[in-house]
Amino acid sequence: MMITSLLDTDLYKFTMMQVVLHHFPAAQVEYRFKCRNAGIDLRPHQAEIQRRINALANLTLSDEELDYLAALPYIQADFIEYLRYFRLNPALVRVQALDALDIVIEGPWFHTILFEVPILSLVNEIYFREYAPKPDWAEGEKRLAEKIELIKQRNDPGFLCSDFGTRRRFSGAWQAKVVQAFAHAVPDNFVGTSNVKLAQTFNLPVIGTMAHEFLQAGQALSPRLVDSQRFALETWVQEYRGQLGIALSDVCGMDAFLRDFDAAFAKLYDGARHDSGDPIEWGEKLLKHYAQLGIDAKQKTLVFSDGLSVPSALAIYDHFKQSTNPVFGIGTNLTNDLGYTPLQIVIKMTRCNGQPVAKISDSAGKLMCQDAVYLQYLRQVFALPTEAL
């Protein structure tokens, strides 16, 4: 079995799940899968993917795992009790071989939210078991050593990075090896992992706050669409009261985010996360915004997490290290770099309570929405230029 624990996922799934329990327990959602790689046909793997998804129903959280979650200062006791009896229901997932591999997750938000990361991990591992049945571990080890050596040569304790690579990892075993290697070789620079199980296993900090789906759902749950980002950010503040204070900025583009990220939010939140568009331009916009609000950016954290490598993270760090506190979540390049082309696969929320929702990022090609009329309306409401789509 490729997934052996419900904790083998990203922390932000649990932090969002707790908000869903407390604020939106009746919300109904739909997620859809997409492979962005040209020329990759995943349909032959349909049966194996379905079988592995069905096996997820057997997973429960052990007392030790529940105790680990309960020890996190922002996780509440009632949520732990719900998790004690929680099981994934594969009946909420539909896997079909249409024009391409089609995966749809549909049902109560609380009961569907944990499917995304393990399904993406499963698809990756199933694909690479066939594509690279005899992996070039030597090449992987070489590339891993080169990454570590770059950080060692820099010898700068101010450069902080973490593992964000669960969803597109080569395999679970390889991700564990990479995380353990970084934690051992550069402990002052490697500050943790988004993977809850690996954080527990290796006694590392676990990293994460919110994902795009949280603000996307706000488009349907907020009384007015124009207020949806503020609604989501305010709900997060109500739940976590100053903890987990990194806001995600690119659900409707950085400019629209900054219009909503007013003085109150800018002071309440510890910083923001970049996940699309030019990272330097994004960071400079945020620094200018802080300056206009009279906020000292040196007291804030800028999290960069969009398609990073160690060299690109170091370059961004050099640009911002004097003016703020940049930190880096490195994903696919950390956990799936053995010389093979990684899969660019995603699962995104597309509907909430029967209404379409969408992410319009600052990067071309990341849009997922099946309702062109809604996209036009969303663009108008948030004053987004046509090229943002």
Side-chain angles (χ1 to χ4, degrees):
M1 187 171 181
M2 296 180 182
I3 307 292
T4 60
S5 170
L6 286 174
L7 291 191
D8 186 8
T9 191
D10 290 325
L11 175 66
Y12 62 29
K13 283 295 177 175
F14 286 108
T15 55
M16 291 188 296
M17 191 180 184
Q18 180 172 276
V19 181
V20 174
L21 173 66
H22 291 156
H23 297 269
F24 313 114
Q28 300 283 318
V29 301
E30 174 193 270
Y31 301 84
R32 288 186 174 271
F33 169 89
K34 183 177 182 179
C35 177
R36 296 170 177 156
N37 300 71
I40 296 293
D41 187 1
L42 297 171
R43 289 175 296 180
H45 306 294
Q46 176 198 1
E48 176 69 1
I49 291 169
Q50 184 69 71
R51 186 175 73 83
R52 297 288 184 174
I53 291 173
N54 291 344
L56 296 175
N58 299 321
L59 300 179
T60 59
L61 289 166
S62 69
D63 288 342
E64 182 183 8
E65 290 173 328
L66 289 165
D67 289 346
Y68 173 79
L69 287 174
L72 299 174
Y74 39 81
I75 297 297
Q76 298 185 29
D78 65 328
F79 182 43
I80 293 296
E81 290 311 305
Y82 274 92
L83 289 176
R84 191 177 303 279
Y85 303 102
F86 181 83
R87 284 178 181 264
L88 288 167
N89 181 2
L92 302 176
V93 183
R94 184 171 70 251
V95 183
Q96 300 179 94
L98 303 176
D99 292 339
L101 180 70
D102 184 59
I103 303 175
V104 180
I105 308 165
E106 191 171 8
W109 196 5
F110 185 82
H111 289 280
T112 55
I113 193 168
L114 289 187
F115 271 115
E116 175 197 355
V117 177
I119 288 178
L120 290 174
S121 300
L122 288 172
V123 171
N124 265 296
E125 194 155 350
I126 289 166
Y127 171 78
F128 281 108
R129 281 191 178 184
E130 179 169 313
Y131 177 77
K134 296 181 179 179
D136 191 344
W137 299 119
E139 179 64 19
E141 295 273 7
K142 172 177 169 288
R143 294 178 181 220
L144 175 58
E146 289 171 350
K147 295 176 176 67
I148 290 172
E149 187 59 29
L150 276 176
I151 298 174
K152 283 185 172 181
Q153 288 176 359
R154 180 60 68 96
N155 192 28
D156 185 343
F159 175 73
L160 304 176
C161 65
S162 57
D163 156 48
F164 277 18
T166 301
R167 294 178 305 152
R168 297 173 186 160
R169 65 194 184 190
F170 184 82
S171 69
W174 180 249
Q175 183 186 18
K177 183 178 183 63
V178 169
V179 168
Q180 189 174 24
F182 265 78
H184 175 75
V186 284
D188 293 335
N189 303 101
F190 189 70
V191 294
T193 174
S194 64
N195 186 290
V196 186
K197 189 61 181 179
L198 293 179
Q200 180 196 28
T201 300
F202 297 122
N203 192 28
L204 293 167
V206 61
I207 311 292
T209 54
M210 65 183 75
H212 296 99
E213 68 179 276
F214 183 70
L215 285 95
Q216 286 178 246
Q219 295 169 14
L221 298 169
S222 173
R224 297 196 310 163
L225 179 58
V226 70
D227 297 323
S228 60
Q229 292 193 119
R230 291 188 291 268
F231 173 80
L233 294 172
E234 180 61 35
T235 303
W236 195 266
V237 170
Q238 291 175 17
E239 179 70 22
Y240 290 112
R241 312 302 299 174
Q243 300 184 90
L244 302 176
I246 300 295
L248 185 55
S249 65
D250 70 329
V251 172
C252 290
M254 184 58 169
D255 293 338
F257 171 79
L258 291 179
R259 289 194 293 270
D260 289 336
F261 199 59
D262 60 15
F265 286 133
K267 291 176 181 178
L268 283 168
Y269 278 85
D270 298 324
R273 177 161 73 91
H274 168 267
D275 201 47
S276 66
D278 182 87
I280 303 300
E281 180 182 344
W282 175 89
E284 290 296 339
K285 284 184 177 182
L286 185 53
L287 294 182
K288 181 180 179 181
H289 187 67
Y290 281 137
Q292 290 172 339
L293 295 173
I295 295 172
D296 182 4
K298 292 183 179 179
Q299 304 302 314
K300 297 296 182 178
T301 299
L302 276 60
V303 181
F304 295 87
S305 62
D306 181 31
L308 296 176
S309 63
V310 171
S312 67
L314 286 167
I316 298 168
Y317 171 72
D318 287 339
H319 184 88
F320 288 109
K321 64 182 178 181
Q322 301 298 331
S323 52
T324 188
N325 297 298
V327 298
F328 303 90
I330 306 177
T332 309
N333 186 259
L334 209 62
T335 62
N336 197 345
D337 186 25
L338 287 83
Y340 312 112
T341 301
L343 292 180
Q344 296 297 320
I345 55 175
V346 296
I347 291 175
K348 294 294 183 185
M349 183 183 289
T350 51
R351 303 187 75 84
C352 178
N353 285 349
Q355 301 179 41
V357 299
K359 166 195 169 190
I360 303 178
S361 73
D362 289 313
S363 293
K366 288 193 172 184
L367 177 65
M368 272 187 72
C369 183
Q370 296 183 312
D371 191 320
V373 174
Y374 175 73
L375 283 176
Q376 178 70 17
Y377 178 52
L378 185 66
R379 186 168 67 241
Q380 291 174 351
V381 167
F382 283 98
L384 301 175
T386 303
E387 56 267 28
L389 294 174

